[in-house]
Amino acid sequence: MTITVKFFASLREQIGTNQLKLTLHTPLTMEQVWTSACPNTPLPEYLLMALNKEYVQADAIVKEGDEVAFFPPVTGG
Amino acid sequence: MKIAVTDQPLNPWKELANHEALLKDQAGKWGGLATFIGTMRDYNEGETIDALWLEHYPGMTENYLQRLAHTAHQRWEIVDTLILHRVGQIYPADTIVIIGVWSAHRAPAFEACRYLIEELKHRAPFWKQETCSQGCRWVTTNTPPYSAP
C-alpha cells in the first residue's frame, strides 16, 4: 500500500524534499512512518504531525492512501 | 462566516467593509465589531527584517481555521466571523492577518477575537521565514494557546 508523506518549512529543508511516496506492507504508526521515511534522522522532539490534514499523535495508525505530514512548530499570525 | 488564505495583498478596511456589506440581512443584530489586524514589522529579535516568506499547509490550514471559527460560534454569542491570512512574499507594513468578530455585545466580540488570534498563532499550520542582512532564517517562536480570563 502507498502513502504520501509531506514535510514543511525548516523540516522540508532539513530532509531535502517536500514530499515522498512510501510503500507499506502493514499499517504503521506515525512514528514508524517517520522512521521509514527518514531512517537517518531521529524523531525531533519539537515535531508536529498530521494525518489526512488533522493533528494526530505519534501512535496514530496510517493506512492505504493516507496523507501524512511532519512539520515544525507553527508561527503564523 | 468567511475563512480564506491568500497570496494577494490584503486591505483590512476594505475586507471588513466588504464582509459587513454581506451581512445586511442581519443589520441591527450586532452592536459591535472587534478586530485584530496583524501587520509585518521591520524588526525582530534585534535584526532589521527586509521581507517575510509565509508558508502554509494547503487544505489543513483552511480546515483548522474553519474549526476555530465554529468553536468560537459555539462558545460565544456572536453573529459572524471573518478570518483572512496572507501567504507568500510579504514586506514590512503589509497586512498578515485580519480577524473580525461581529456580536451583539462587546464582551463576546473581544473575547472571541482574542481566542481566534491566539489559537491561530498557536496551532494553525503557517510558518514564517525572515529575510535579513545575514540571510534567511525560519521563525521558531511559538506562542501559548488562548486562556480564558
Side-chain angles (χ1 to χ4, degrees), chain A residues 12 54-55 67 74-75 77, chain B residues 55 57 67 123 126 128:
Chain A
R12 179 187 64 247
E54 298 283 345
Y55 278 110
E67 179 177 298
V74 303
T75 56
Chain B
E55 180 175 330
Y57 183 176
R67 188 169 314 120
R123 204 71 168 158
F126 292 101
K128 289 175 182 152

Side-chain angles (χ1 to χ4, degrees), chain B:
Chain B
M1 184 188 306
K2 180 180 176 184
I3 310 292
V5 175
T6 177
D7 61 1
Q8 298 301 304
L10 288 170
N11 179 323
W13 320 115
K14 279 188 182 170
E15 297 289 353
L16 289 163
N18 289 345
H19 190 74
E20 188 163 297
L22 297 174
L23 304 179
K24 60 181 181 222
D25 290 349
Q26 299 181 78
K29 302 296 184 206
W30 69 81
L33 161 62
T35 63
F36 178 83
I37 297 166
T39 304
M40 185 189 156
R41 294 189 309 267
D42 65 0
Y43 66 93
N44 193 29
E45 295 179 354
E47 291 278 351
T48 297
I49 307 300
D50 300 318
L52 199 61
W53 174 257
L54 264 160
E55 180 175 330
H56 78 305
Y57 183 176
M60 180 173 175
T61 306
E62 291 84 347
N63 293 347
Y64 194 80
L65 297 178
Q66 197 81 42
R67 188 169 314 120
L68 287 184
H70 278 297
T71 302
H73 278 256
Q74 288 171 343
R75 195 162 171 175
W76 290 280
E77 277 192 40
I78 54 183
V79 174
D80 204 18
T81 54
L82 173 69
I83 306 176
L84 305 176
H85 202 293
R86 269 296 301 276
V87 291
Q89 189 75 41
I90 69 168
Y91 297 94
D94 284 353
T95 297
I96 297 176
V97 60
I98 302 167
I99 294 180
V101 179
W102 287 259
S103 174
H105 302 287
R106 66 188 182 283
F110 277 131
E111 211 49 37
C113 188
R114 194 168 72 82
Y115 165 82
L116 290 170
I117 186 59
E118 298 298 349
E119 288 295 315
L120 181 156
K121 288 181 73 72
H122 179 64
R123 204 71 168 158
F126 292 101
W127 300 273
K128 289 175 182 152
Q129 188 183 50
E130 297 171 335
T131 302
C132 57
S133 59
Q134 298 175 3
C136 294
R137 64 184 187 188
W138 289 98
V139 177
T140 58
T141 311
N142 184 245
T143 58
Y146 168 82
S147 64

